Amino acid sequence: MSRQVVTRFAPSPTGMLHIGGVRTALFCWLFARKHGGRFILRIEDTDLSRSTDDNIRIIEEGMAWCGLDWDEGPVVGDPGQWKGPHGPYRQMQRMDLYRAKIQELLDKGLAYRCRCSREAIEARRKTVEAAGKVFQYNRGMDRGKGCAGASHDASEPAAIRFRMPEEGDIVVPDLIKGHTHFPADSLDDWIIARTGDGPGVIGVPTYNFCVVVDDTHMQVTHVIRGDDHLNNTPKQIPLFAAFGYDLPAFAHVPMILGADGAKLSKRHGATSITEYQAMGLLPSAVRLALARLSWTPKIDGKAVESAEEELLTDEQMIQLFDLADCQKSAARFDMDKLQWLNQKLIQRSSWQELEPHLRPFVAEVSRGAWAAKTDDWKAQAIQCTQKGKSLTDMAEALRFAFERPATFDEKAVEKFMTPAVKPALREVHGLTDYTHEALEAAFTAILERHSLKTKDLAQALRVALCGKPVSPGIFDTLMLVGRDEVAARLERWI
């Protein structure tokens, strides 16, 4: 490619950061990283009635949690700051540029002022539809009744419409879907700026206008976005031409469906990226699961098939990612598959990799005590709970290390807290050397002296220390609780 590749993710902050949007952002990120290009985060906040600063913060924090770092875009948590040479990266802070570009179109006669009220347009719509026609502004039966030929001046407030071509086809070239043709006469003159506050004032520009100006100004080479935007593209292509801009390459990725084939929604489970974070999923698992929706990676020309091959690292995904390997049809989201990937990646990760992700979950359980633990203690705690399916499972499995049991499993007490085991518990109470080797040697001697099996003593200790006969390996359990606390918890049983 002759130009540096530049992609962008441009969400509208009108609600949660949906996993469908994150999948689109991931494809943009992978493509830019593969080609040594730039990835931009841009906030499209011109929907003033629904865009909020809280939603912008959720987008920024969600993207950061996912590990989708951007080369240009806003600084998390500071709306007045950004990084990159084309800022600001919030559209409402770019109004001067948009209005200058709209004035340029007005001066060239490629846009015009429209004073039609909503009521007048609706009345004309009903007339056209009653005649069995499809209503389009300044098209068909409506031709000549609109503002396109009226040459309105700036003496009254007005919306601004873009003058669309009336003949031929508008062709959308797409790297995933191929070429899609839209007859020009099926598209009306659309509003590029809403009615201003006074005479001559250009109001807030609309999405389809801003996106063209921004993509060009920010030197975007590849527009990778959801296929729900496909119908916007034939509106945007003539606008690129009106400004004399080169077209970027388009790639419209298919939508994500639930397991039942319906549009992904709350009834299928979590749909916001923050919900997946709260469930204790690793960002790497979310990235991998979303990447596999509509993309089939190929190794040496063959599609990935085996379970081992599926566990791709970020580096492998970047190396293998190719828009040509993306499917045209919608993908079905499989929550079970995501959880399986999460468990596998937890098991494969080092304790150092897991610790920052586990920290917020275990900190809640430990009431701040986690931060005071040594690295050796944290390593042991993580390594002995890595069979958990999620970070929340791991944190819950470590609760015994921070909290004395408030209740005890009655059946377990009856089964394991026998008179025969109490003398052995007294000996454990007196142990002082809590290295793994010393504990193992002491256990062997205690079991021999009291003619007990390992299970007899281990389960009794688990009940005493944890309130239930479930914990990591018994030596790990003792070491994580710690000598003094073990002695304190055994007091009631000896």
Side-chain angles (χ1 to χ4, degrees), residues 18 20 39 57 62 125 136 142 169 175 204 211 259 449 478:
H18 192 277
F39 172 57
R57 177 185 53 79
R125 181 191 305 279
Q136 295 161 296
D142 192 46
D169 281 356
L175 297 174
V204 176
V211 72
R449 279 193 294 273
L478 290 165

Side-chain angles (χ1 to χ4, degrees), residues 100-328:
K101 289 296 182 181
I102 289 171
Q103 188 61 54
E104 180 182 326
L105 293 176
L106 287 169
D107 293 343
K108 292 179 178 178
L110 299 175
Y112 56 91
R113 291 180 172 85
C114 173
R115 297 177 182 172
C116 297
S117 66
R118 290 184 180 180
E119 293 76 14
I121 291 176
E122 186 59 30
R124 292 196 338 251
R125 181 191 305 279
K126 290 179 179 179
T127 300
V128 170
E129 291 177 349
K133 303 289 185 179
V134 176
F135 174 77
Q136 295 161 296
Y137 188 85
N138 214 44
R139 292 288 192 273
M141 287 185 65
D142 192 46
R143 189 183 301 278
K145 296 180 181 178
C147 297
S151 300
H152 289 312
D153 58 25
S155 60
E156 295 181 25
I160 310 295
R161 289 185 182 269
F162 177 63
R163 200 183 296 272
M164 288 284 285
E166 299 182 10
E167 298 178 349
D169 281 356
I170 299 172
V171 180
V172 178
D174 194 281
L175 297 174
I176 295 175
K177 296 182 176 296
H179 285 65
T180 305
H181 292 251
F182 294 84
D185 61 7
S186 69
L187 301 166
D188 54 7
D189 292 352
W190 51 280
I191 292 176
I192 59 176
R194 301 169 180 90
T195 301
D197 294 333
V201 176
I202 296 174
V204 176
T206 56
Y207 161 79
N208 278 308
F209 178 83
C210 297
V211 72
V212 170
V213 174
D214 287 344
D215 283 345
T216 303
H217 185 250
M218 296 178 185
Q219 302 174 353
V220 172
T221 61
H222 292 75
V223 173
I224 303 169
R225 58 189 177 192
D227 61 6
D228 54 327
H229 286 282
L230 181 60
N231 288 335
N232 288 325
T233 312
K235 295 182 178 181
Q236 296 167 7
I237 287 177
L239 189 56
F240 278 101
F243 283 124
Y245 297 156
D246 292 333
L247 279 183
F250 293 103
H252 291 89
V253 297
M255 67 188 304
I256 302 174
L257 304 177
D260 58 359
K263 186 177 180 180
L264 194 65
S265 65
K266 279 287 186 182
R267 67 187 180 87
H268 297 107
T271 55
S272 166
I273 197 64
T274 54
E275 293 177 273
Y276 289 95
Q277 181 180 3
M279 290 165 61
L281 298 174
L282 290 173
S284 55
V286 173
R287 289 195 298 271
L288 182 53
L290 291 180
R292 295 305 312 277
L293 295 176
S294 299
W295 172 52
T296 303
K298 294 178 180 177
I299 299 177
D300 297 329
K302 295 182 180 180
V304 165
E305 293 180 355
S306 71
E308 287 301 306
E309 287 180 330
E310 281 195 288
L311 297 174
L312 299 171
T313 64
D314 284 343
E315 291 73 19
Q316 288 172 314
M317 286 196 290
I318 289 169
Q319 179 184 4
L320 297 173
F321 187 74
D322 193 331
L323 289 169
D325 295 328
C326 292
Q327 305 161 7
K328 298 179 182 179

